[in-house]
Amino acid sequence: MNGDLSVDQQLALTTAASRLQDRFSGVFSVETIERFLYHSYDEFSGRAAVPQWLPLLAERFALQRLTALARVEGRTDDTRPVVLFLCVHNAGRSQMALGFFEQLTDGAAIGWSGGSEPGGQVNPAAVLAMAERGIDISREFPKPWTEEVVRAADVIVTMGCGDACPVLPGKRYEDWQVADPEGLDLIELRAVRDDIERRVRQLIADVVPVAL
């Protein structure tokens, strides 16, 4: 981990580690939790749009990764289906899909997202387009996928990442041909948003019928 941390960042990471230890008490060791947290911090340290948010981003990503690892290793009794949305930058399509999925399933399933080449921030036009539908994705952040996250997913939805998308046997895959929102204005992006919503609703009907 980068040694040039401010006192505030060090304190924030220590607090984050404590929260994660409480969350995964009896599941993972302190060493494992701290390793995932600090690795997650390093993942974002070179490209975070708002550096002061780094400890929070690291904590949220570490939480997702540890949750995935617990599922892979059979350390949890959570049987909800997991859907992973993947695109290139994790800044537009996959974030919008995740936003719809989480709102429509209302906790009946778990949704994650990732990118093959994560960007620095979520597409501002995508944030505006989703806000028009009452969904706030402004606090989301582009992130990569990791092995444990892919292995924990029941369904993997790909959008434009091509050969860079991970392929594991035994997983259900869907490849959505959705237009790339990068460079589109809000009017053009609304069509992409509505296309994604339609696809997400159909996926939920197939995978999580109880959520509808």
Side-chain angles (χ1 to χ4, degrees):
M1 186 174 63
N2 191 326
D4 300 326
L5 297 179
S6 69
V7 173
D8 287 344
Q9 286 174 317
Q10 292 176 18
L11 178 59
L13 282 173
T14 299
T15 302
S18 179
R19 283 195 292 263
L20 290 171
Q21 288 161 21
D22 288 342
R23 178 73 173 264
F24 293 99
S25 176
V27 180
F28 295 118
S29 67
V30 172
E31 292 77 14
T32 296
I33 291 170
E34 290 184 345
R35 175 166 55 86
F36 273 74
L37 176 63
Y38 296 146
H39 182 273
S40 296
Y41 182 94
D42 286 342
E43 174 63 42
F44 297 111
S45 62
R47 57 183 176 80
V50 186
Q52 59 265 37
W53 289 358
L54 274 171
L56 176 61
L57 299 184
E59 180 181 358
R60 291 174 60 190
F61 192 41
L63 173 61
Q64 175 179 304
R65 295 181 62 192
L66 289 165
T67 299
L69 185 62
R71 294 178 68 93
V72 170
E73 296 185 349
R75 298 171 181 256
T76 177
D77 57 3
D78 189 346
T79 60
R80 290 176 295 169
V82 177
V83 176
L84 175 61
F85 298 97
L86 301 177
C87 66
V88 178
H89 301 304
N90 192 217
R93 288 169 289 188
S94 54
Q95 293 286 3
M96 289 190 288
L98 178 63
F100 280 122
F101 186 82
E102 290 187 328
Q103 183 197 60
L104 294 169
T105 57
D106 192 26
I110 297 173
W112 294 325
S113 69
S116 56
E117 301 174 14
Q121 64 179 357
V122 175
N123 185 330
V127 173
L128 290 174
M130 293 299 287
E132 292 180 344
R133 303 303 298 273
I135 300 174
D136 182 8
I137 63 170
S138 64
R139 297 182 67 252
E140 294 301 327
F141 54 99
K143 51 196 172 298
W145 60 70
T146 60
E147 180 182 357
E148 65 278 351
V149 167
V150 174
R151 290 176 62 195
D154 299 299
V155 181
I156 299 175
V157 177
T158 60
M159 289 173 275
C161 49
D163 293 340
C165 289
V167 177
L168 290 181
K171 302 293 182 185
R172 170 176 169 177
Y173 281 88
E174 293 197 9
D175 184 39
W176 292 357
Q177 301 299 313
V178 177
D180 187 349
E182 185 174 0
L184 301 183
D185 60 29
L186 181 57
I187 294 176
E188 295 169 320
L189 204 145
R190 285 173 180 146
V192 177
R193 175 201 64 196
D194 294 346
D195 182 23
I196 289 173
E197 180 183 10
R198 177 183 59 79
R199 294 172 185 268
V200 169
R201 286 184 179 275
Q202 182 59 57
L203 176 66
I204 292 172
D206 292 342
V207 178
V208 202
V210 71
L212 295 181

